[in-house]
Amino acid sequence: MNHDIAEDTLLSPAPGTLASSTASSPPAGGLALDVPSMVTPRRAKPRAAHGAQTVRVAIVHDWLVTYAGAERVLEQIIACFPDADLFALVDFLDDRSFIRGKPVKTTFIQKLPKAKTKYRSYLPLMPLAIEQFDLSAYDVVISSSHAVAKGVLTGPDQVHVSYVHSPIRYAWDLQHQYLTESKLTRGPKSALARVILHYIRNWDVRTSNSVDSFVSNSAFIARRIRKVYQRDANVINPPVDVEAFALQEQKEDFYLTASRMVPYKKIDLIVEAFAKMPGRRLVVIGDGPEMEKIRAKAAPNVEIMGYQPFAVLRDRMRRAKAFVFAAEEDFGISVVEAQACGTPVIAYGKGGALETVRDLSDSRPTGIFFGEQTVDALIAAVDNFAAQPGRFVAADCRANAERFSAALFRERFFAHVCAMVPALQGATLPPYDPPHQGAAVNPGSSLRVLAVDQSGVLGGAELSLLEIVKALRARMDVVLFDDGPFRVALDLADVPVTVLDAGATRDMRKQGSAPPLGRALKSVGSLVRATAARARNNDVIYANTQRAMVIGVLAGKLARKPVVWHLRDIVSAEHFGRRQLQVIKWCARFGLAHVIANSGASARAFTELTKFDDARVDVVFNGISSAPFDALRDTPQSALRARLNLPGDAFLVGSFSRLARWKGQHLLLEAAVLNPRMHAVLVGSALFGEDAYEAELRSFVAQHGLTERVHFLGFQHDIAACMGAMDVVAHTSITPEPFGRVIVEAMLARRPVVAARAGGVTEIVRHGENGMLCEPGDAHALADTLAELNANRTLRDQLVVRGYQTATETFGTAAYVEGVERILKRVGTGGAGKALEAKAVRSAG
């Protein structure tokens, strides 16, 4: 990210300071400052996040002079807290759209001589300046810091969250590199620069103590924060506008690098390497102090374009066969932007690139690393890349880039701040209002979607679909094949819904049972015709369940509409009968345009079964709202237990699922036999012809004398209240679970989770950190783990804190809805999906 104070020189000359890459010593005693000119916040006006009108928020940024990496983060922080007041050392912005035209409170540095162009040279004064902000009127202070912003003064009743792009890199581990590059390795100027940097380091460490919570832009920077400040940091990757970069599969015969031409970017190394590879063409975009040095190294095969507008940069990124990146960067936004275009990356294997690029060790690589910042190492990497072009798929690059979307950043950062501020817990993320005026209208904004679901009950698939249709209700129609609580929930959400008569298809089961063929075909035909009639007024069919997918594929052919299946199952013999698996394979070949999988486990099982083009499979984790769980946070557990007629002083372990053998409720009962100190609570009913299993569970309870310690609660509407009444939530599936919605809900309810180590569960739970894992089907291991949690309150509390953090930051609703909507737009409007569809048809055939 372009935020280094010493990109041009360590300390550049300005009147009143040391000239020629030096700076004056720290101000002593008698320095006169125009302190009354400091602007203080208006105490009378409250500042708040949406839904928390009494919380006043201040945002502090280092300096506002351009729109680069750090400012992209600031833009999204402001979107999270649009009513916050903004502070910076200086403000010389021309384009103020990304800060939404906010007034900025600045420091005395703003008025110093030539501050607009030489603000960096006032580094020795910056610690003093940042400490002059009076932020006492605010409840929450958010600093966006790569230099001194985190050093603002806060009180004991204020919460200070600091998003650190990097500790002051030129003062810490990169000091010697910067002194060398600035030619300050010896002499009086070198001595003075070292004294100043020593002073900055001491101040930097001291002020870290005033930060309540650190957030870093990468695990690399989190390690740097741990090294420098001895503090842990939560990693929230910076936002990348991936939607501004369209996927392009056809690449041209040239390589691209683009960056500001400063020493640590190593553009000269890239140019020198390609000068020794005359058969390979390199395009260089960017400008900066090293331009002449780089031009001198360029050979005829290297085109130096200099500064170019964004449209030109984006065009070259889309067309390039690879993007070359040689810096040790904190994160590296350009690396993600290139992948958003479908362009693989050849990168130096250190720093943030290790977190944003998947190398050849991955089954779906998006780039290659080289281990040293040398010409020979880079040449070897380019040769390696060129030798295996088939390993890199444009759609894989795009999918990897989408992990770093701006929407996901907003959701994670907002959740993190809310978790730190009691008064904000329960607040909702404000709707995103793009700050840039005059932008083109999104071509997918008028997209019409027909959602199809087979069920009328409120299962996990239906609850997840409900989040989508509530968000897109203005552009979505819903068709159900059965009536029930799900239809009621849709009506309450004011979503248009039609219930069709499922007929004989209602008796079809995953494991292969089916009605007579004639009756089944008649019912299927009726559903297909009715669904196709409604699809003609929509752009895309969005099937939420397996039976709905089959009807949707046939209706899609009839209505000539693409079909997207939201896959919420692991399609294997453990979950589906042989006939159902054959139908899924046929549908994948015959008429599916795209698949959204709820976990990596679901996606892998589907592609292994169908050989479906994985470029048309995206993983979007289910999103679950924290609101109903947060609303009960202050409700005593005893009150919740009394409401449910549960014992007040027992150790309660809850199971939340429909009663089905593969869900493994019998394991929890076996664990109760082994652990006489626990009570088991079964929340859920037998929904799909599984009444015999429920009878088997009740018989087991009677035979083992568990009547007083096992509680059958049946179907419950208020899952948040039921979970709040538990001490532990157990997830006991004996076959791999495609996702595990219950696990995330338990984390939101702030209850520790014990889950089976299989399927999508392992993408949610990290053993011993945010939950506990047991081997599927092992009742003894389950009983032992529950006994450990019963005895160890400290462990339970640790799991609760980490679990809630995981649930809010990774499985929130905003990123989930945006991910699904983006795919529906892409498929429904043709766009990028056309080429992928053609490719898929070829591979399927």
Side-chain angles (χ1 to χ4, degrees), residues 1-4 7 61-77 93 98 144-146 163-166 217 236-241 260 264-265 329-335 337 404 406 409:
M1 298 173 68
N2 300 325
H3 51 246
D4 295 296
E7 284 183 334
H61 192 64
D62 285 302
W63 48 75
L64 290 167
V65 295
T66 187
Y67 181 69
E71 287 69 41
R72 299 186 193 198
V73 173
L74 175 65
E75 178 180 2
Q76 299 303 324
I77 293 175
L93 289 174
F98 78 92
S144 166
S145 183
H146 52 74
Y163 189 99
V164 175
H165 309 276
S166 176
N217 62 7
I236 302 179
N237 298 126
V240 180
D241 187 10
R260 180 158 169 76
Y264 88 96
K265 295 290 189 178
E329 189 66 277
D330 306 335
F331 178 74
I333 284 178
S334 61
V335 169
E337 291 173 338
F404 306 99
F409 173 88

Side-chain angles (χ1 to χ4, degrees), residues 316-368:
R316 297 304 189 275
M317 271 191 171
R318 294 181 65 196
R319 291 160 47 197
K321 70 161 54 176
F323 183 81
V324 186
F325 187 80
E328 179 182 341
E329 189 66 277
D330 306 335
F331 178 74
I333 284 178
S334 61
V335 169
V336 180
E337 291 173 338
Q339 292 176 86
C341 298
T343 302
V345 178
I346 301 171
Y348 176 46
K350 196 171 182 181
L354 293 174
E355 301 168 48
T356 58
V357 179
R358 300 195 305 246
D359 70 357
L360 292 171
S361 63
D362 194 280
S363 60
R364 298 167 69 178
T366 64
I368 282 179

Side-chain angles (χ1 to χ4, degrees), residues 420-442:
M420 294 296 302
V421 183
L424 283 177
Q425 292 177 12
T428 56
L429 180 65
Y432 183 57
D433 179 21
H436 300 288
Q437 300 302 316
V441 176
N442 189 329

Side-chain angles (χ1 to χ4, degrees), residues 444-523:
S445 60
S446 60
L447 182 81
R448 296 292 309 176
V449 179
L450 178 66
V452 186
D453 193 288
Q454 70 196 40
S455 179
V457 302
L458 267 175
E462 287 69 39
L463 289 169
S464 293
L465 176 59
L466 188 60
E467 294 291 342
I468 300 295
V469 297
K470 285 192 297 186
L472 307 181
R473 62 167 64 88
R475 290 178 279 136
M476 184 169 276
D477 298 322
V478 179
V479 166
L480 303 182
F481 299 163
D482 205 354
D483 204 349
F486 185 33
R487 193 267 306 160
V488 175
L490 290 167
D491 286 342
L492 292 173
D494 197 26
V495 176
V497 59
T498 301
V499 178
L500 302 179
D501 182 8
T505 65
R506 190 178 290 111
D507 299 325
M508 294 180 177
R509 295 285 177 259
K510 285 183 179 181
Q511 292 299 330
S513 60
L517 181 60
R519 288 178 53 211
L521 290 176
K522 182 178 179 181
S523 296

Side-chain angles (χ1 to χ4, degrees), residues 148-162:
V148 298
K150 77 162 191 19
V152 292
L153 302 181
T154 55
D157 295 325
Q158 295 173 294
V159 175
H160 180 185
V161 176
S162 185

